[in-house]
Amino acid sequence: MPAVTPAERAAALRAEIHRLDHAYYVLDAPLVPDADYDARFRALQALEAAHPELRTPDSPTQRVGGAPLPQFAPVRHAVPMLSIQTETDTTPQGAVAFDLRVRNKLGLGADDPPVAYNAELKFDGLAINLRYVHGVLVQAATRGDGETGEDVTQNVRTIRSVPLQLRTAHPPAVLEVRGEALMQRADFARYNDRQRAKGLPTLVNPRNGAAGSIRQLDPAIAAQRPLAFYAYGWGEIQGWADQPTTHHAMLDALAAFGLPVAAQRVHGPGAQTLTGFHTQIAAARDSLPFDIDGVVYKVDSLALQAALGFRNREPVWAVAHKYPAQERSTRVLAIDIQVGRTGKLTPVAKLEPVFVGGVTVTNATLHNEDEVRRKDVRVGDRVVVRRAGDVIPEVVSVLLDQRPADVGEPFDLYKQLGGHCPVCGSAIVREQGEADWRCTGGLFCAAQRKQAILHYASRRALDIEGLGEKLVDQLVDGAVVRVLPDLYKLGLLKLAALDRMADKSAANLLDALEHSKATTLPRFVYALGIRNVGEATAKELARHFGSLDALMNASLEQLQAVPDIGPIVAQSIRTFFEQPHNREVVEQLRACGVHWDESAPVESATAKPLSGKTLVLTGTLPNLGREDAKERIEAAGGKVSGSVSKKTHYVVAGAEAGSKLAKAQELGVAVLDEAGLLALLADAAGDG
């Protein structure tokens, strides 16, 4: 096979980059991660640098990228919107290299004073030019090819953070403000949750969401997508008295005019200002409300910027300093199933190793079966993988145009596992309205041991004082306790040998374990950790059936005869007791001496002030943990459900609330925040 010539390689790269540009900017459908695109672009740059005769007028390296859609009116930029050079060294030393290039260009020696710089964020959105005439927004345009963009004024006007009129009594006659339209992470997540709840398509990532929103032909659609805008530069300026002379002062002036300018920016002398900012933002990157892919350094003096000028259509006085890519593409080798502490089954993609976000990734979460099917991830596919900080890597999308002919079958979790937990062999179930499959062997499954023990020992269950999380970790990790009955076989010598466990502490724990043997039927039922069976439900079951044996052998019809127990809860109970492993553990606990008086009257849960009320928790509450909120609700007689229906009385929504909140709003279910929940509990306590 003849070798590929440089000319053929250059032509192939140009064609591929044009194809990717068209898909991203025209069709709003990215085909590869940004890092993959950048690799192709850098390869073409290197090839043209080595063979200048291959550089053609239509090469992607000779323009910024993109082309205006014919449906939008073209806008000729008064001052070109050019790209800036990218520093390829992603370490802080990249900033030192930029400073050295600037000093050399200015002819400065080692003894000359440092150059002053401004450092800011490199946003991951869509570049926009806002044109203000006498302080009024008259036009907004995309970057386009740098010379000509698209008129997107009506869509940009829907961005609430963009002022329609500058906040100054003496605006410049003409002021073009340049910045980035983007979608904040929380807004992106909420939008996708609403789309999923309606069965509609979701956005691939915040950047594509912003680009697609700005370039919607219908402004009403753009208005439905929550966008933000941050200013970082300017184009044409006319009639600005006392215009600032430094870059950082210009940004301050834009902020004073009412334009959004990111707070994350610094100015100061020398490379140490830049390296400090690079390190600071790297540490804070994942906590920012929006995506960035690096930082930008600019010479602060506007006079020095003019003196330094441009090279190959890129300013010498600025550079983009990127961080390691957070999205890359790789191959799916297999899809495994992991069992979590609560029995949740999570599909995990086993990947060809890929370096992303600063580490080599070999596994990525697929969340649940619905997500795998929605994205249509199959073994053999090439996929986009994302990693941000310490967040577990996830598969973002499938590169369908690269799907091989021999790709695997569509994912079917139940079929792959044969209906049984891969850890303990118990049956798996997926309840109505739930996204997750779960293992039903809660008392036996090794993956759930720690959670089962902690729940069994909790204050509202058997209340075993001293049996906390760190001790449970030691007991399980050391294979001292494999199932709950092993707790009652612990001896003083074995306990005292554990880390930070003195003789007295060990003796106290043994006393607590002995004391826990005398309990009540409602507490024991609750302690078993049956899904959907909270404290109030356990009391109703104990009161209705009177004995554990009657409950264990009850049919679905008999279970649904209990007040406030519907088909979902009844099925959870029936499934739990149908597992031989669970029944065996119950019998072993009885054999160890755990007992209760089945003739003792059980307090009716209906006497509780929230009895008969069903609440759903979603999102993160500012102060209450999920378990704490659940305990308080159940203590007041309420029931906490995992799904929203017409029978739900309240949805308690915290930060990052998703599809459950959207479902509640759709059904007209009352929505409470944390303060509303606490007020409800306080009212209930007062009524009681």
Side-chain angles (χ1 to χ4, degrees):
M1 188 173 183
V4 176
T5 67
E8 290 171 335
R9 175 64 175 154
L13 283 170
R14 283 196 296 270
E16 173 69 358
I17 293 170
H18 282 313
R19 183 179 77 90
L20 297 177
D21 280 346
H22 178 77
Y24 194 103
Y25 294 105
V26 179
L27 303 180
D28 297 330
L31 298 178
V32 299
D34 293 344
D36 290 12
Y37 177 95
D38 290 344
R40 291 169 170 84
F41 196 93
R42 286 195 298 270
L44 181 58
Q45 283 181 314
L47 197 59
E48 291 179 347
H51 303 277
E53 71 277 10
L54 299 179
R55 188 178 293 123
T56 61
D58 67 340
S59 172
T61 63
Q62 301 305 297
R63 63 186 180 100
V64 176
L69 285 175
Q71 296 95 328
F72 290 106
V75 174
R76 183 81 176 177
H77 297 302
V79 176
M81 291 183 71
L82 303 179
S83 61
I84 60 176
Q85 181 182 356
T86 297
E87 174 56 57
T88 56
D89 184 348
T90 59
T91 73
Q93 287 304 306
V96 178
F98 169 65
D99 175 56
L100 183 61
R101 290 197 299 271
V102 169
R103 293 182 64 82
N104 289 340
K105 184 73 173 178
L106 292 173
L108 299 177
D111 296 329
D112 289 315
V115 176
Y117 294 104
N118 188 81
E120 56 201 61
L121 303 178
K122 185 178 185 303
F123 300 103
D124 201 10
L126 183 71
I128 294 292
N129 184 78
L130 307 177
R131 185 175 179 87
Y132 290 88
V133 175
H134 299 297
V136 177
L137 178 66
V138 298
Q139 188 181 70
T142 62
R143 183 199 302 254
D145 63 3
E147 299 286 346
T148 302
E150 303 161 338
D151 189 331
V152 289
T153 307
Q154 294 308 310
N155 289 348
V156 169
R157 285 173 67 91
T158 69
I159 304 176
R160 293 185 177 272
S161 60
V162 173
L164 301 180
Q165 186 169 12
L166 300 180
R167 298 180 60 180
T168 173
H170 305 287
V174 175
L175 173 62
E176 288 189 343
V177 178
R178 285 167 181 181
E180 202 90 355
L182 52 85
M183 191 173 286
Q184 310 238 24
R185 291 169 178 165
D187 292 332
F188 171 78
R190 279 192 288 268
Y191 178 84
N192 274 355
D193 282 340
R194 287 197 298 270
Q195 292 293 97
R196 290 189 193 100
K198 297 174 183 176
L200 298 175
T202 56
L203 300 173
V204 174
N205 55 45
R207 181 182 185 183
N208 186 241
S213 301
I214 288 296
R215 300 171 67 257
Q216 282 286 335
L217 291 176
D218 184 356
I221 296 177
Q224 295 171 9
R225 298 184 177 182
L227 297 182
F229 175 85
Y230 290 93
Y232 53 67
W234 52 91
E236 183 181 15
I237 297 176
Q238 297 179 21
W240 186 349
D242 302 322
Q243 179 181 337
T245 59
T246 63
H247 195 93
H248 83 267
M250 283 288 289
L251 294 181
D252 289 341
L254 295 182
F257 287 163
L259 289 151
V261 179
Q264 297 85 358
R265 53 193 170 97
V266 299
H267 65 277
Q272 68 270 22
T273 297
L274 308 182
T275 57
F277 186 73
H278 183 273
T279 301
Q280 171 197 342
I281 297 302
R285 182 182 182 186
D286 299 324
S287 62
L288 294 174
F290 40 69
D291 286 346
I292 63 168
D293 57 3
V295 291
V296 176
Y297 310 137
K298 299 172 182 175
V299 172
D300 200 31
S301 165
L302 300 190
L304 284 182
Q305 287 185 9
L308 287 164
F310 295 80
R311 181 182 62 249
N312 296 332
R313 296 171 58 86
E314 294 175 341
V316 176
W317 45 267
V319 72
H321 194 183
K322 291 193 173 186
Y323 293 113
Q326 290 187 300
E327 285 190 0
R328 291 299 300 268
S329 65
T330 187
R331 189 82 58 192
V332 177
L333 303 178
I335 298 178
D336 291 347
I337 313 297
Q338 291 184 350
V339 186
R341 286 167 59 103
T342 62
K344 174 184 173 182
L345 302 175
T346 301
V348 175
K350 298 295 180 179
L351 309 169
E352 283 184 355
V354 59
F355 193 76
V356 55
V359 301
T360 299
V361 171
T362 56
N363 297 320
T365 182
L366 292 165
H367 297 294
N368 55 56
E369 185 177 56
D370 285 350
E371 281 291 285
V372 183
R373 291 184 175 179
R374 183 179 67 82
K375 296 172 181 174
D376 194 19
V377 181
R378 307 188 192 183
V379 175
D381 271 334
R382 191 157 194 88
V383 296
V384 176
V385 178
R386 178 177 176 81
R387 180 185 180 273
D390 294 328
V391 177
I392 299 172
E394 68 171 334
V395 172
V396 176
S397 61
V398 176
L399 301 176
L400 292 173
D401 65 328
Q402 299 182 37
R403 170 168 281 174
D406 60 346
V407 72
E409 294 292 319
F411 181 72
D412 186 320
L413 188 148
Y414 188 90
K415 181 179 179 181
Q416 179 169 324
L417 295 180
H420 298 285
C421 172
V423 173
C424 71
S426 298
I428 62 172
V429 296
R430 181 178 180 180
E431 296 171 358
Q432 182 181 345
E434 289 290 318
D436 301 313
W437 286 90
R438 293 181 182 274
C439 166
T440 57
L443 296 185
F444 176 80
C445 184
Q448 302 177 66
R449 282 175 188 159
K450 292 180 181 179
Q451 185 66 29
I453 294 169
L454 288 169
H455 179 76
Y456 182 83
S458 64
R459 182 167 53 89
R460 297 184 181 277
L462 265 65
D463 193 17
I464 305 175
E465 189 174 350
L467 192 56
E469 189 167 350
K470 291 182 179 179
L471 179 55
V472 168
D473 285 344
Q474 288 192 70
L475 292 172
V476 173
D477 294 343
V480 178
V481 172
R482 297 179 184 275
V483 288
L484 286 174
D486 290 344
L487 291 171
Y488 296 105
K489 301 171 187 176
L490 293 171
L492 186 61
L493 291 178
K494 189 172 288 187
L495 282 174
L498 298 174
D499 291 342
R500 296 184 297 277
M501 178 63 75
D503 288 350
K504 185 175 181 181
S505 299
N508 288 341
L509 177 57
L510 290 176
D511 286 343
L513 284 164
E514 188 64 29
H515 185 264
S516 72
K517 290 180 181 179
T519 185
T520 66
L521 180 56
R523 277 180 173 269
F524 185 77
V525 172
Y526 175 64
L528 295 179
I530 305 170
R531 184 157 173 77
N532 294 317
V533 176
E535 190 180 6
T537 302
K539 286 182 177 179
E540 286 294 351
L541 290 168
R543 188 175 63 85
H544 183 88
F545 290 103
S547 73
L548 182 62
D549 289 336
L551 171 59
M552 291 173 66
N553 296 317
S555 65
L556 285 174
E557 293 75 14
Q558 290 170 323
L559 288 166
Q560 290 186 63
V562 181
D564 297 327
I565 290 187
I568 293 177
V569 179
Q571 186 61 62
S572 294
I573 299 167
R574 187 68 249 131
T575 301
F576 181 89
F577 286 120
E578 282 176 348
Q579 306 310 306
H581 301 315
N582 291 339
R583 296 180 77 99
E584 182 180 347
V585 171
V586 169
E587 294 308 320
Q588 287 183 15
L589 287 170
R590 283 169 147 176
C592 288
V594 180
H595 64 280
W596 52 87
D597 182 1
E598 293 188 341
S599 65
V602 177
E603 175 190 355
S604 174
T606 57
K608 296 287 186 177
L610 288 186
S611 179
K613 303 293 185 185
T614 299
L615 291 83
V616 172
L617 300 171
T618 182
T620 303
L621 300 178
N623 300 300
L624 290 177
R626 181 68 65 94
E627 285 303 313
D628 188 13
K630 182 179 178 182
E631 280 191 5
R632 294 191 187 201
I633 292 167
E634 290 178 345
K639 183 174 72 173
V640 178
S641 174
S643 59
V644 180
S645 70
K646 293 180 180 179
K647 295 182 179 180
T648 304
H649 294 86
Y650 300 100
V651 167
V652 182
E656 307 300 326
S659 58
K660 292 177 184 177
L661 175 58
K663 183 72 171 179
Q665 293 168 337
E666 180 184 327
L667 296 176
V669 175
V671 177
L672 305 174
D673 57 10
E674 182 180 283
L677 172 62
L678 294 175
L680 178 67
L681 292 170
D683 289 344
D687 293 342

